[in-house]
Amino acid sequence: MMSPKSLTKTRWIIDANRVIVYPHRVSYILAVVVALVFAGIMVLYITNVHGDTAVSIPFFIFLVIIPVLFFAFGNTYVEFDGSRGTMQKKLFGFIPVKTMPMSALFGINVVTTTGGYNYRLFSKKDRYGKGILVSSGYTKKTDTNAQAFAEQVIPVVHGYLDQYGSVVDSAPQPITSYKYYTHTGGSFTIKKRKTGLIIFGILFLAFGIHELVNPWMKDVSILQKVLVTVVCAGIGLGFMHAAFSSIVFDTGAGVIKRTGPLGWGNKTISFNDFAGFQTIRKSTNSVYTGTEIHLYYRIPDTQQQASMMLQVLKSSEQIERFLEETKSIMNI
């Protein structure tokens, strides 16, 4: 018997020349929840409202259709056909909504989100875009379903991609000018927009000072006033520190330096300790707000790794260019 928890996990079918993944099975649970809520609405309507039949029937039909659509969406799947060399997404399990040749696909990568992660399929033209969801969402790195997906599904799909065309495009052109770095001698400093950070910093600092000297909040205790002042001052200093901090790639010394006026988070990382890049898509209330680009590095004399955020960009083209410039600077 299928448990409710199993419905939150990715399901897949691997045949001789085909892989099918069902990443939206949580919609089955949502369908049940919505159906119960709508059933309650129907009961309340019948017992308390004596409406016109002409109005009631369409209303009831609407309340029935919505849960059915949620349930049907759980049948949506993504199919990788190795014999035809195509990827196809079918809404509700039977409506083709997207078809692409495997030669146009880049691969499946993990996408980290706030509080979890999932796996998405990316094309060569949009390697850092939204992608196509091919797995359920996970919260733990040790999730057995996620590990099985990475071990069983991804290698087969990438095998199809290798068969129908390398994921590697033509060799990138040498970098002769820098869009995201300021170049001085052997030092490359990441550019940033300081104006917005400075404005927010000044606003928070000014509000904190105002509440300490001539507060707008009259009917609060002294402790509350002090807390407001301290919080506003801390946020304001944080913005100002971010505005005047810098990340410098010193090619002569072979190190990356992050420095700030207050000394918060200052560090120096050797090029030799570089361990890769990671992009993390961020969203607020399901609205995409940008992609963070992190540099991972090995902590000397340990088996551990840490990361440092380099930049926040939005479009795939911007991210691709920034990474190309960074790799050129580090000669990797």
Side-chain angles (χ1 to χ4, degrees):
M1 182 176 177
M2 221 182 315
S3 66
K5 186 177 180 180
S6 68
L7 293 177
T8 65
K9 304 298 183 180
T10 313
R11 176 173 171 259
W12 57 86
I13 299 172
I14 301 178
D15 293 334
N17 289 300
R18 188 178 61 161
V19 175
I20 301 175
V21 293
Y22 295 84
H24 301 285
R25 299 175 73 234
V26 71
S27 288
Y28 295 142
I29 297 177
L30 296 176
V32 173
V33 173
V34 172
L36 291 174
V37 172
F38 283 7
I41 294 174
M42 287 183 184
V43 171
L44 289 174
Y45 184 88
I46 292 171
T47 56
N48 296 291
V49 179
H50 302 287
D52 200 343
T53 303
V55 176
S56 301
I57 292 178
F59 178 61
F60 287 161
I61 291 175
F62 171 79
L63 294 183
V64 171
I65 288 176
I66 298 302
V68 170
L69 289 176
F70 269 101
F71 189 87
F73 188 69
N75 294 326
T76 299
Y77 66 79
V78 180
E79 178 187 52
F80 300 89
D81 192 325
S83 60
R84 294 187 300 172
T86 59
M87 178 282 300
Q88 189 171 66
K89 179 178 180 179
K90 288 191 176 182
L91 183 66
F92 305 140
F94 63 90
I95 303 176
V97 291
K98 193 174 189 66
T99 302
M100 294 181 67
M102 288 188 181
S103 58
L105 300 177
F106 175 71
I108 297 175
N109 284 331
V110 62
V111 175
T112 305
T113 58
T114 304
Y117 65 98
N118 55 49
Y119 289 91
R120 290 178 179 267
L121 174 69
F122 296 90
S123 68
K124 291 180 180 178
K125 292 184 178 180
D126 197 15
R127 299 181 184 182
Y128 303 98
K130 183 179 180 181
I132 299 173
L133 186 69
V134 292
S135 84
S136 303
Y138 303 104
T139 56
K140 298 180 180 179
K141 293 183 179 180
T142 56
D143 191 292
T144 55
N145 184 259
Q147 292 175 340
F149 181 87
E151 293 171 0
Q152 299 175 23
V153 177
I154 295 178
V156 177
V157 173
H158 283 184
Y160 292 156
L161 302 188
D162 291 339
Q163 178 182 348
Y164 286 96
S166 173
V167 297
V168 179
D169 294 331
S170 57
Q173 297 297 318
I175 301 296
T176 56
S177 61
Y178 294 89
K179 180 179 179 180
Y180 296 102
Y181 287 87
T182 300
H183 181 198
T184 305
S187 296
F188 296 81
T189 304
I190 295 178
K191 295 178 182 179
K192 64 168 60 178
R193 295 184 177 90
K194 295 183 179 181
T195 305
L197 295 171
I198 293 173
I199 290 174
F200 277 110
I202 291 175
L203 288 176
F204 275 100
L205 288 172
F207 182 76
I209 294 172
H210 183 276
E211 290 306 294
L212 183 64
V213 177
N214 184 26
W216 284 313
M217 299 181 295
K218 304 296 183 181
D219 300 325
V220 296
S221 66
I222 295 178
L223 178 60
Q224 289 174 317
K225 292 179 182 178
V226 172
L227 285 175
V228 170
T229 301
V230 171
V231 169
C232 289
I235 296 175
L237 288 174
F239 275 114
M240 298 299 286
H241 182 267
F244 293 100
S245 295
S246 62
I247 297 177
V248 179
F249 287 70
D250 188 335
T251 57
V255 297
I256 306 164
K257 296 180 181 179
R258 184 173 69 184
T259 58
L262 302 178
W264 298 343
N266 286 4
K267 62 179 60 178
T268 300
I269 303 166
S270 171
F271 284 6
N272 295 329
D273 292 325
F274 170 75
F277 297 103
Q278 183 181 30
T279 57
I280 302 176
R281 286 178 64 87
K282 293 290 185 178
S283 59
T284 302
N285 297 325
S286 300
V287 177
Y288 175 58
T289 56
T291 296
E292 295 179 355
I293 303 173
H294 290 248
L295 179 144
Y296 273 76
Y297 61 94
R298 292 176 289 273
I299 301 176
D301 302 322
T302 71
Q303 299 298 318
Q304 298 179 336
Q305 291 186 357
S307 68
M308 179 171 66
M309 189 175 76
L310 301 180
Q311 185 65 278
V312 180
L313 299 169
K314 283 198 170 183
S315 74
S316 184
E317 182 181 354
Q318 292 174 332
I319 298 168
E320 192 84 36
R321 174 67 185 188
F322 178 82
L323 289 174
E324 286 178 4
E325 291 185 10
T326 306
K327 291 175 182 177
S328 174
I329 292 168
M330 297 180 69
N331 194 27
I332 55 177

